[in-house]
């Protein structure tokens, strides 16, 4: 389905330029391709060719989102992401990698990136992922949504909080959305594509391994709970109590 999302609809803090996407890559062809498709959708783009410049521009211009390559001169994408998070900068980050084995690092707890794409990537998928991440930021809290109680796990959609046996459980934004999607219909089997649509808000289906990596992270955090996320071979995932 087609999603008509204009960057001007977002209502972030005034200091953040949500219309602006910072593209960080040392390959001019990648910057040019991404800029072409993003600007066609109404986004503004700025670019940096190395990690040090990316940090400086992120601090000075406060873009709404970073598209960040892993392999960069001076400072690689992993270091840029870590430094931004260490500074308390929660700007959404989509990382670009040419190596499949980097994906677990990118989406792992220690890094804090929001999503990834492997090169070569479809520019339409990049646009879809940018839209989806920014749309999650503008999604209002549903104050009327009742907490979901499953065994010793409580999920509060209004507060976006999860407690396990009465103690707070720290989840990143996407982990929370994924858990809530599964927990609202326990026992239902979701395909990866359905999870991308419901939990991520993607309107373009391409790489689905991001679902698998987030599921792996959730399983670790839910290990002491009374629920588990089961793999349904050849189909997808379901949450069971």
């Amino acid at each position: 389905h087609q999603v008509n999302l204009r960057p001007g609809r977002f209502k972030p803090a005034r200091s953040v330029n949500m219309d602006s996407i910072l593209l960080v890559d040392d390959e001019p062809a990648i910057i040019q391709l991404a800029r072409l498709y993003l600007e066609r959708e109404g986004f503004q783009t700025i670019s940096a060719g190395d990690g040090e410049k990316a940090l400086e521009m992120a601090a000075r211009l406060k873009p709404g989102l970073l598209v960040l390559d892993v392999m960069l001169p001076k400072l690689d994408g992993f270091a840029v992401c870590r430094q931004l998070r260490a500074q308390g900068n929660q700007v959404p980050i989509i990382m670009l990698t040419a190596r499949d084995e980097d994906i677990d690092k990118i989406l792992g707890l220690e890094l804090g990136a929001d999503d990834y794409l492997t090169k070569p990537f479809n520019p339409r998928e990049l646009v879809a992922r940018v839209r989806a991440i920014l749309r999650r930021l503008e999604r209002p809290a549903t104050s009327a949504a009742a907490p979901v109680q499953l065994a010793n796990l409580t999920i509060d959609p209004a507060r976006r909080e999860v407690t396990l046996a009465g103690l707070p459980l720290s989840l990143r934004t996407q982990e929370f959305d994924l858990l809530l999607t599964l927990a609202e219909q326990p026992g239902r089997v979701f395909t990866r594509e359905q999870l991308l649509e419901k939990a991520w808000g993607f309107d373009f289906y391409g790489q689905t391994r991001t679902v698998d990596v987030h599921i792996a992270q959730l399983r670790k955090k839910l290990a002491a709970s009374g629920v588990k996320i089961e793999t349904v071979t050849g189909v997808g995932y379901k949450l069971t109590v």
Side-chain angles (χ1 to χ4, degrees):
H1 61 281
Q2 198 71 18
V3 175
N4 182 16
L5 183 66
R6 298 183 184 278
R9 290 175 54 197
F10 298 113
K11 298 178 181 178
R14 291 185 180 182
S15 58
V16 176
N17 182 5
M18 214 62 174
D19 293 5
S20 181
I21 310 297
L22 174 56
L23 306 172
V24 188
D25 203 300
D26 62 340
E27 296 181 57
I30 297 291
I31 295 288
Q32 185 177 3
L33 181 65
R35 173 175 284 138
L36 175 67
Y37 277 79
L38 287 165
E39 291 186 351
R40 182 183 295 172
E41 295 297 316
F43 293 100
Q44 301 170 15
T45 62
I46 49 179
S47 63
D50 64 71
E52 290 182 357
K53 185 67 172 176
L55 281 174
E56 183 271 324
M57 293 181 73
R60 178 168 54 88
L61 300 176
K62 302 191 186 314
L65 183 143
L66 265 67
V67 178
L68 178 64
D69 190 29
V70 168
M71 302 302 293
L72 292 170
K74 299 185 180 179
L75 206 62
D76 68 24
F78 291 145
V80 171
C81 187
R82 287 191 190 98
Q83 288 196 33
L84 286 171
R85 297 304 187 235
Q87 295 165 5
N89 190 333
Q90 296 302 314
V91 59
I93 297 174
I94 298 176
M95 298 197 75
L96 303 178
T97 176
R99 299 185 299 178
D100 189 64
E101 60 267 25
D102 285 333
I103 294 169
D104 292 287
K105 298 178 187 176
I106 289 170
L107 294 174
L109 297 176
E110 75 282 359
L111 204 58
D114 295 86
D115 206 350
Y116 78 95
L117 278 173
T118 52
K119 293 179 176 179
F121 60 86
N122 185 325
R124 292 187 299 119
E125 183 168 4
L126 173 62
V127 172
R129 290 178 182 241
V130 168
R131 280 174 166 173
I133 288 174
L134 295 180
R135 185 163 56 242
R136 292 206 306 270
L137 294 182
E138 73 160 359
R139 184 163 53 197
T142 307
S143 57
V148 178
Q149 181 75 48
L150 296 171
N152 57 349
L153 191 71
T154 304
I155 307 165
D156 189 333
R159 296 178 179 272
R160 294 188 65 82
E161 293 175 350
V162 178
T163 56
L164 175 55
L167 298 176
L169 185 66
S170 177
L171 297 182
R172 290 170 51 209
T173 299
Q174 195 52 60
E175 291 170 344
F176 179 91
D177 290 335
L178 179 57
L179 176 60
L180 180 61
T181 299
L182 291 165
E184 284 179 330
Q185 298 183 67
R188 173 183 168 178
V189 179
F190 290 89
T191 66
R192 290 170 177 81
E193 289 77 14
Q194 286 172 330
L195 289 171
L196 283 173
E197 180 181 357
K198 293 177 179 296
W200 272 259
F202 287 173
D203 58 353
F204 180 88
Y205 303 133
Q207 302 173 64
T208 58
R209 194 177 163 206
T210 186
V211 176
D212 299 332
V213 177
H214 277 87
I215 290 288
Q217 295 292 343
L218 266 179
R219 280 172 168 161
K220 292 177 185 176
K221 293 184 176 183
L222 296 174
S225 76
V227 304
K228 65 177 181 176
I229 300 173
E230 296 183 359
T231 301
V232 180
T233 305
V235 184
Y237 299 101
K238 67 177 179 179
L239 185 143
T240 60
V241 181

